[in-house]
Amino acid sequence: MTVMLGVPQVRVRPGEPQSAQQIAQFGVRPASSSVPGLLDSYGRVATDLRISLTDKCNLRCTYCMPAEGLPFLPTPKLMQRDEIVRLARLATERLGVRQVRFTGGEPLLRGDLVDIIRDVSALDARPEVSLTTNAIGLAGRATALADAGLDRVNVSLDSICAETFATITRRPFLTKVLAGIDALGAAGIHHTKINAVLIPGINDTEGPELLEWALAGGHQLRFIEQMPLDADHIWDRDVMITAEEMRRRLSERYDLTPDEAPRDGAPAELYQVRLRGAAADSPSLGTVGIIASVTEAFCEDCRRTRLTAEGGVRSCLFSHTEIDLLGPMRAGADDDTVADLWRAAMWAKPSGHGMNQAGFQQPDRPMSAIGG
């Protein structure tokens, strides 16, 4: 694959980890400790780190995993607690990362999750620590996670209708998810974000109802355009619910006004919400976010870097290559070497995901294997 960077072309072999030396050999500016942070060749700097803790999940969402599941990584191939904390330390102390979010698969399936959160929260350059979860099992762990230093939680929830939830996830666990969300407030973690995907013919008419529920609970709902990251590769752009369609459907019940706060690299475009026809100066009911990754891409201000559960850097969610950090670490690489590998990986970040260009190819790995 050839990636245009505005500098000499980079040639990398899909699926094969690349070292900093190999990347430099292919024409990318060599990694250097003098380069501030995780800079790419387009001037973007990654300050938001997503760390996948596992590729396992206890749901089988239709837009993510096949009904029969996937072959999961054996435990020895996953990053261990000390390795995760070491990379988080390098990211925050040397590479300018300010936010660390733990993802999966489903991160609550890690038995050592509370310990990992505690360790990362205790770093000298403490980041904001958050979690993306389906909330199954959260009810029994919310207090321990809050005590460990967890700041914020994103919950994936596409419907509050039990039948629709079961259709999408192939599991009858809605009550467990709602109990987990309720437990967050009791544990002192507020302003939970709810992530929802609208699927044609399944929950596409439920947006206003889901927003009403979120506003009543003090949560910020964020609708996400369905992306080509499903294991079955059945995503179809022609039938997906677009951001424009989301706004139209929500406007049947609500008036949406663009939020005046700076977006500041966030993936969601925020809107103040009022009942339809309410006076413009009436109090807002809250905000709703729309993440239009496909039709209104925000790649030019992307500030994210990702680590897969087996320690590979992905500079873009839709990358076809990863740069291995875990292998060199286990082989004895020092912090300078690992940091330079990471800088090299981010320097090679493409200008955008390319979904709107001819010839776009969906990544082989689904979202559950990549981490959000």
Side-chain angles (χ1 to χ4, degrees):
M1 178 185 70
T2 300
V3 182
M4 299 302 295
L5 294 177
V7 294
Q9 292 182 353
V10 184
R11 302 185 186 279
V12 294
R13 291 172 285 279
E16 181 176 322
Q18 306 296 312
S19 70
Q21 182 179 6
Q22 287 173 316
I23 293 173
Q25 171 187 334
F26 294 139
V28 176
R29 187 177 73 175
S32 170
S33 58
S34 65
V35 176
L38 294 172
L39 176 71
D40 69 37
S41 66
Y42 294 92
R44 299 166 297 191
V45 178
T47 57
D48 181 347
L49 169 60
R50 314 289 174 90
I51 302 179
S52 176
L53 298 181
T54 179
D55 60 338
K56 295 183 177 68
C57 189
N58 41 14
L59 297 180
R60 296 292 181 268
C61 296
T62 56
Y63 55 81
C64 183
M65 297 180 69
E68 66 276 12
L70 293 165
F72 297 124
L73 292 166
T75 299
K77 287 194 174 183
L78 297 175
M79 291 189 292
Q80 301 304 299
R81 172 184 167 189
D82 61 323
E83 294 165 336
I84 293 166
V85 175
R86 180 184 175 189
L87 287 170
R89 176 179 58 78
L90 285 175
T92 56
E93 294 181 3
R94 295 192 179 207
L95 300 174
V97 163
R98 298 194 298 269
Q99 298 171 306
V100 175
R101 182 189 300 183
F102 294 106
T103 71
E106 175 44 55
L108 285 172
L109 295 178
R110 286 281 301 234
D112 56 357
L113 175 62
V114 170
D115 295 324
I116 292 170
I117 298 254
R118 183 180 296 110
D119 291 347
V120 173
S121 297
L123 293 173
D124 289 341
R126 189 197 192 282
E128 178 190 74
V129 180
S130 61
L131 182 73
T132 294
T133 174
N134 61 30
I136 297 171
L138 184 58
R141 303 178 76 181
T143 298
L145 289 166
D147 291 345
L150 184 63
D151 297 307
R152 188 169 55 79
V153 176
N154 288 18
V155 175
S156 299
L157 176 61
D158 302 313
S159 176
I160 54 171
C161 169
E163 182 179 356
T164 305
F165 179 92
T167 297
I168 294 172
T169 66
R170 303 185 177 105
R171 297 292 188 272
F173 294 156
L174 177 60
T175 56
K176 295 182 179 181
V177 174
L178 297 179
I181 294 171
D182 289 342
L184 289 173
I189 298 177
H190 303 289
H191 308 297
T192 299
K193 294 180 179 179
I194 307 296
N195 296 336
V197 176
L198 296 181
I199 305 169
I202 299 179
N203 69 337
D204 53 325
T205 63
E206 297 182 17
E209 177 187 9
L210 189 57
L211 178 55
E212 180 181 10
W213 169 83
L215 291 169
H219 312 307
Q220 184 191 95
L221 179 61
R222 308 192 310 171
F223 290 103
I224 305 175
E225 287 185 335
Q226 185 179 352
M227 294 179 283
L229 291 168
D230 60 299
D232 291 324
H233 287 211
I234 59 175
W235 176 82
D236 186 346
R237 179 175 180 141
D238 292 337
V239 299
M240 62 169 279
I241 306 298
T242 65
E244 182 179 5
E245 178 66 10
M246 293 175 193
R247 289 187 289 262
R248 187 191 68 77
R249 296 190 184 200
L250 292 176
S251 295
E252 295 173 0
R253 186 181 302 184
Y254 298 102
D255 288 333
L256 305 181
T257 306
D259 191 77
E260 295 180 357
R263 189 164 175 175
D264 196 28
E269 184 75 30
L270 294 183
Y271 298 86
Q272 294 291 332
V273 181
R274 294 175 177 82
L275 287 175
R276 183 173 176 81
D281 59 353
S282 63
S284 171
L285 300 175
T287 59
V288 64
I290 293 181
I291 301 178
S293 303
V294 179
T295 62
E296 299 168 12
F298 39 86
C299 300
E300 70 278 357
D301 197 25
C302 178
R303 304 179 190 182
R304 284 163 290 286
T305 182
R306 292 176 168 83
L307 290 174
T308 64
E310 65 270 44
V313 178
R314 293 181 72 92
S315 64
C316 174
L317 190 58
F318 295 91
S319 295
H320 287 268
T321 59
E322 297 170 3
I323 294 180
D324 181 33
L325 299 186
L326 185 58
M329 283 172 51
R330 290 181 174 178
D334 61 17
D335 285 355
D336 288 338
T337 300
V338 176
D340 280 352
L341 280 167
W342 205 334
R343 290 188 185 95
M346 295 308 296
W347 181 257
K349 181 172 181 156
S351 61
H353 53 50
M355 272 189 279
N356 298 313
Q357 299 174 3
F360 169 78
Q361 293 184 343
Q362 178 175 338
D364 293 331
R365 306 184 75 186
M367 178 68 89
S368 61
I370 295 171

